[in-house]
Amino acid sequence: MGIAYRCEKNPLILPGDVIPSQDNFRVEGVFNCGVAKYKDEIILLCRVAESVQNDNLEQVLIPMIKEQSGIEIVETIVIKKKEHPDYDYSDSRSVWKINENGTKNIQYLTSLSHFRIARSKDGIHFTISDRPDVFPNVEDSWGIEDPRITQIGDDYYITYTTVSEYGTATGLMVTKDFYSFERKGIIFAPENKDVTIFPEKINGFYYAFNRPVPKAIGNPDIWLAKSPDLLHWGGQKHFLGVTEECEWISGRIGGGAVPIKTERGWLVIYHAADKENRYCLGAVLCDSNDPSILIANSKEPIMEPEAAYEKEGFFGNTVFTCGGLLEGDKLIIYYGAADDKICRADILLSDIYKELGVL
Amino acid sequence: MGIAYRCEKNPLILPGDVIPSQDNFRVEGVFNCGVAKYKDEIILLCRVAESVQNDNLEQVLIPMIKEQSGIEIVETIVIKKKEHPDYDYSDSRSVWKINENGTKNIQYLTSLSHFRIARSKDGIHFTISDRPDVFPNVEDSWGIEDPRITQIGDDYYITYTTVSEYGTATGLMVTKDFYSFERKGIIFAPENKDVTIFPEKINGFYYAFNRPVPKAIGNPDIWLAKSPDLLHWGGQKHFLGVTEECEWISGRIGGGAVPIKTERGWLVIYHAADKENRYCLGAVLCDSNDPSILIANSKEPIMEPEAAYEKEGFFGNTVFTCGGLLEGDKLIIYYGAADDKICRADILLSDIYKELGVL
């Protein structure tokens, strides 16, 4: 069933393949990776999530970046469960605070994420760096997550989620060589992530999907912004929203892979989740000359969690992509499975077009 | 008590001074006004909030903009209370939906806001337009709110809150004559409002305070963004946050008046509210050459709801400003009182400096 052909070597990268960045850390997941072609290699910029080793079930250990005497260090905060009956520990990814009025806010993340490069000649066998390639700094004190890579000329622009006590925002960095990375600051204020920049100017402007999460009014929906210079963004328009009509899009929706130019328009692979946080992938086509015009949208997911390695893991029932590659008539999708492994699936463009009703 | 001298003619403009925009509308409030000097007049661009006349307590009437056969119309939605036990009607400003998991979202606003110009030669006696000067369109289907005016050369840039089912975002419009207003689109995605643009470039960039409201992590805090062209914004930095240390800033904080240049730095009047939504005004000074550097912050409010017309109204216990004027050594603040009237208070700069501890 389905149009996605999973690679028989899946999962391609597992937590056990990653050497922890600190002696007392444990790698919980290697997943959600940006994808690029660089020289003769396929590069995955992988999110690596680490927790602090902990044998004591009475406590939760929180890793974060702190500044101490002008030096950035990785610090562990100890939360004694007994002392915090007002915290909810049921989500493996975060500690929630239950407020007096019954609302909940994330108080801490249980893991700290950084980026590590995995390289491959064949797109299947990857070698991952022994050490972090991009590590969060004190401005991302709760970590950096979910990179998306857009190649423009010789520059690779990387959007990423920057998390701190102030919220979940989107930062931008750029590299020419995947060795040195230049930080360009926060381009979208919190709460906003899942940002995918189109790989070329369209009618004089760059475009990017972004996914703000408003609090009082509205849903976690996809918006489209434009920019003259990739650093400053405006012209925000609502693009695609959650809907009760499709169960699998009833919870949240957001950018996935960086948009890919095809002869039929911009092909956009997005993620969507239902109210139980089951994450699937969908596809839309939008107009080559005006990406705010939606040509076609998939009624059903083009991929949903089915394999055991997608159903079970750090956060189960999840397929989530940050990038793909077009190879002839085939789309290669690299994706995070259950928030802890990296996998690959191939989908024929013609099968996506059929799903979109344009073939 | 306090350093703000309330005008003895307060309130300067009342709901009864405003002719409703529609026959079946009732003016609930005229408040939160942008302020500008234009030719020999002081102009207030006032937010006017209107509800639908309603004698039936069993129902709530919701005004909004709809498109019908290509024409934008003002429509009334009827909510029968009996049919919606899942709605919470206790907030006069909005109808909240209580979700299955206990969280609440705004489902409707009870009023629809537009802008109307009030003109004065003396800054005290104002004449307000008989009809709307700027009316929401289908993209602001729930209304436009809280304009802030920044004069740059002959152009008056107006940020405003644009509200729709997709959220509460910030739009930009520009006028040269307060007669025709050109819409420039949405500059900050939801949830983000209280945007004040600095009146000149600083080291090659425009700057603006903005107040995103993140959902999962973080608080309703003030951020600072920069722009090369006023239309596209980036370089977001957290500027000033709510704090448990000051009761009056423990709930929310956001931009107020457009920043005013003084010899001691940029004077910024902001609003802050406690957890009971009592809105006060505070002041900060930030560096002339780098507004991200905070020089001083008021420990106590420079103004808090004290007068009867500030304590009681559409939303009581509220003083809220969108703009002021510097006249010699005196700051004239125009402000919304209790979300339904426009008032004026004068504060000596020297008194603000004392409050800030810089004198």
Side-chain angles (χ1 to χ4, degrees):
Chain A
M1 180 197 145
I3 59 175
Y5 292 84
R6 285 161 176 83
C7 180
E8 57 183 19
K9 299 280 184 195
N10 275 356
L12 304 185
I13 313 178
L14 286 157
D17 301 329
V18 183
I19 299 170
S21 70
Q22 323 285 321
D23 286 342
N24 63 331
F25 273 16
R26 171 193 143 95
V27 174
E28 295 287 352
V30 49
F31 54 124
N32 305 354
C33 53
V35 182
K37 276 191 175 171
Y38 174 68
K39 295 187 174 169
D40 61 343
E41 291 183 320
I42 291 172
I43 289 215
L44 305 183
L45 188 64
C46 311
R47 171 180 173 189
V48 171
E50 298 174 296
S51 64
V52 186
Q53 289 173 15
N54 179 20
D55 294 326
N56 183 348
L57 293 176
E58 305 288 308
Q59 64 183 24
V60 177
L61 301 181
I62 305 295
M64 62 172 70
I65 312 288
K66 289 263 171 174
E67 202 171 296
Q68 232 170 47
S69 320
I71 300 167
E72 291 186 347
I73 58 157
V74 179
E75 197 190 66
T76 297
I77 292 178
V78 181
I79 313 290
K80 298 211 166 102
K81 287 187 179 175
K82 222 186 290 179
E83 292 173 8
H84 282 286
D86 53 331
Y87 287 176
D88 175 355
Y89 305 95
S90 61
D91 180 340
S92 60
R93 303 168 301 178
S94 32
V95 175
W96 292 75
K97 183 171 195 302
I98 303 159
N99 301 314
E100 282 170 27
N101 59 5
T103 60
K104 292 201 301 181
N105 292 84
I106 291 178
Q107 190 76 359
Y108 297 107
L109 299 186
T110 58
S111 64
L112 180 74
S113 290
H114 68 268
F115 300 153
R116 220 172 275 212
I117 293 172
R119 298 166 189 272
S120 172
K121 302 272 193 215
D122 65 3
I124 291 173
H125 299 87
F126 284 88
T127 306
I128 193 161
S129 304
D130 287 345
R131 299 156 57 88
D133 291 281
V134 188
F135 206 73
N137 59 34
V138 74
E139 287 179 354
D140 326 295
S141 54
W142 293 15
I144 50 176
E145 306 177 352
D146 302 356
R148 271 95 172 176
I149 307 172
T150 300
Q151 183 180 359
I152 298 173
D154 290 339
D155 293 313
Y156 295 85
Y157 285 88
I158 302 162
T159 70
Y160 60 98
T161 306
T162 163
V163 195
S164 76
E165 61 183 303
Y166 301 127
T168 301
T170 299
L172 181 69
M173 59 179 85
V174 63
T175 185
K176 283 181 186 298
D177 53 14
F178 289 95
Y179 175 74
S180 69
F181 298 81
E182 189 190 346
R183 301 281 195 118
K184 293 290 194 181
I186 292 179
I187 53 174
F188 295 109
E191 184 164 340
N192 200 333
K193 59 181 185 174
D194 300 317
V195 173
T196 57
I197 297 176
F198 285 69
E200 60 185 64
K201 275 192 174 176
I202 303 161
N203 291 321
F205 286 97
Y206 294 106
Y207 284 83
F209 290 117
N210 60 112
R211 207 284 301 279
V213 184
K215 187 167 185 180
I217 302 172
N219 295 309
D221 289 350
I222 301 177
W223 287 61
L224 182 66
K226 64 194 182 102
S227 171
D229 59 8
L230 298 162
L231 304 178
H232 306 91
W233 296 85
Q236 288 272 14
K237 283 187 182 172
H238 184 267
F239 179 75
L240 195 60
V242 303
T243 168
E244 295 291 337
E245 284 164 33
C246 295
E247 171 78 21
W248 63 285
I249 316 182
S250 61
R252 51 183 61 235
I253 187 169
V258 169
I260 289 169
K261 199 174 192 177
T262 74
E263 56 187 10
R264 288 167 178 273
W266 291 101
L267 175 61
V268 177
I269 309 297
Y270 61 85
H271 77 263
D274 62 15
K275 293 201 173 72
E276 266 68 52
N277 287 318
R278 182 173 179 266
Y279 281 78
C280 298
L281 299 182
V284 300
L285 268 179
C286 49
D287 191 278
S288 300
N289 297 310
D290 182 353
S292 73
I293 300 173
L294 196 152
I295 298 172
N297 189 3
S298 55
K299 293 271 174 291
E300 300 296 327
I302 62 162
M303 193 170 169
E304 50 190 322
E306 288 173 342
Y309 51 80
E310 296 161 353
K311 287 182 169 172
E312 282 156 40
F314 189 61
F315 194 78
N317 283 318
T318 297
V319 293
F320 190 100
T321 186
C322 292
L325 293 170
L326 193 59
E327 205 176 80
D329 60 354
K330 188 177 69 182
L331 179 67
I332 300 170
I333 293 176
Y334 291 98
Y335 66 98
D339 270 14
D340 60 4
K341 322 159 199 81
I342 286 175
C343 295
R344 167 179 167 158
D346 296 0
I347 311 183
L348 290 174
L349 276 190
S350 55
D351 281 343
I352 296 179
Y353 293 154
K354 266 184 229 158
E355 200 63 49
L356 289 167
V358 296
L359 199 74
Chain B
M1 178 195 148
I3 59 176
Y5 293 83
R6 286 163 177 81
C7 181
E8 58 183 17
K9 298 279 184 197
N10 275 353
L12 304 186
I13 313 178
L14 286 157
D17 301 329
V18 184
I19 300 169
S21 70
Q22 323 284 321
D23 286 341
N24 62 332
F25 273 16
R26 171 190 143 94
V27 174
E28 296 286 354
V30 49
F31 53 123
N32 306 353
C33 54
V35 182
K37 276 192 175 169
Y38 175 67
K39 294 186 175 169
D40 61 341
E41 291 183 320
I42 291 173
I43 290 215
L44 305 182
L45 188 63
C46 311
R47 171 178 172 190
V48 171
E50 299 174 296
S51 64
V52 186
Q53 289 173 15
N54 179 21
D55 296 325
N56 184 346
L57 292 176
E58 305 286 308
Q59 64 184 23
V60 177
L61 301 182
I62 306 294
M64 63 171 71
I65 311 289
K66 289 263 172 175
E67 200 171 299
Q68 232 171 48
S69 321
I71 300 168
E72 290 185 347
I73 57 155
V74 179
E75 199 191 67
T76 297
I77 293 177
V78 181
I79 313 290
K80 299 210 165 101
K81 288 187 178 175
K82 220 186 292 179
E83 292 172 9
H84 282 286
D86 55 330
Y87 288 175
D88 175 355
Y89 306 95
S90 61
D91 180 340
S92 60
R93 302 168 301 178
S94 32
V95 174
W96 292 74
K97 184 172 194 300
I98 304 159
N99 301 314
E100 283 169 26
N101 60 3
T103 60
K104 293 201 300 180
N105 292 84
I106 291 178
Q107 191 75 2
Y108 298 105
L109 299 186
T110 57
S111 64
L112 180 74
S113 289
H114 68 267
F115 299 153
R116 219 173 277 210
I117 293 172
R119 298 166 189 272
S120 173
K121 302 269 193 216
D122 65 3
I124 292 173
H125 300 87
F126 284 88
T127 307
I128 192 160
S129 304
D130 288 345
R131 300 158 55 88
D133 292 281
V134 188
F135 205 72
N137 59 34
V138 74
E139 288 177 355
D140 325 294
S141 54
W142 293 16
I144 51 177
E145 306 177 350
D146 301 356
R148 270 98 172 173
I149 306 172
T150 300
Q151 183 179 359
I152 298 174
D154 289 339
D155 293 313
Y156 295 85
Y157 285 88
I158 302 162
T159 69
Y160 60 98
T161 306
T162 162
V163 195
S164 76
E165 62 182 300
Y166 301 127
T168 302
T170 300
L172 181 71
M173 60 178 84
V174 63
T175 184
K176 282 182 186 297
D177 53 14
F178 288 94
Y179 177 74
S180 69
F181 297 82
E182 189 189 347
R183 300 281 196 118
K184 293 290 193 179
I186 291 179
I187 54 174
F188 295 109
E191 184 165 341
N192 201 332
K193 60 180 183 175
D194 300 318
V195 173
T196 56
I197 297 176
F198 285 69
E200 60 185 63
K201 276 192 174 177
I202 303 163
N203 290 320
F205 286 97
Y206 294 106
Y207 285 82
F209 290 117
N210 59 113
R211 207 286 299 280
V213 184
K215 185 168 186 178
I217 302 172
N219 294 308
D221 289 350
I222 301 178
W223 288 60
L224 182 66
K226 64 195 183 101
S227 170
D229 58 8
L230 298 164
L231 305 178
H232 306 91
W233 295 86
Q236 288 270 15
K237 283 187 183 173
H238 184 268
F239 179 75
L240 195 60
V242 303
T243 169
E244 295 292 337
E245 284 163 34
C246 295
E247 171 79 21
W248 62 286
I249 316 182
S250 61
R252 52 184 62 235
I253 187 169
V258 169
I260 288 169
K261 199 175 192 176
T262 74
E263 55 186 14
R264 291 168 177 272
W266 290 102
L267 175 62
V268 178
I269 309 296
Y270 60 86
H271 75 263
D274 62 16
K275 292 201 173 72
E276 267 67 55
N277 287 317
R278 181 172 179 268
Y279 281 77
C280 298
L281 299 183
V284 299
L285 268 179
C286 48
D287 190 276
S288 299
N289 297 309
D290 181 354
S292 73
I293 299 173
L294 195 150
I295 298 172
N297 189 3
S298 56
K299 294 273 175 287
E300 299 295 327
I302 62 161
M303 193 171 170
E304 50 190 322
E306 288 173 344
Y309 50 80
E310 296 160 356
K311 287 182 170 174
E312 282 155 42
F314 190 58
F315 193 77
N317 282 319
T318 297
V319 293
F320 189 100
T321 184
C322 293
L325 293 170
L326 192 60
E327 208 177 77
D329 59 355
K330 186 177 70 180
L331 180 66
I332 299 170
I333 292 177
Y334 291 98
Y335 65 98
D339 270 15
D340 61 3
K341 323 159 199 77
I342 287 175
C343 295
R344 166 180 168 160
D346 296 0
I347 310 183
L348 291 174
L349 275 189
S350 54
D351 283 342
I352 296 179
Y353 293 152
K354 267 184 229 155
E355 200 63 50
L356 289 167
V358 296
L359 199 72

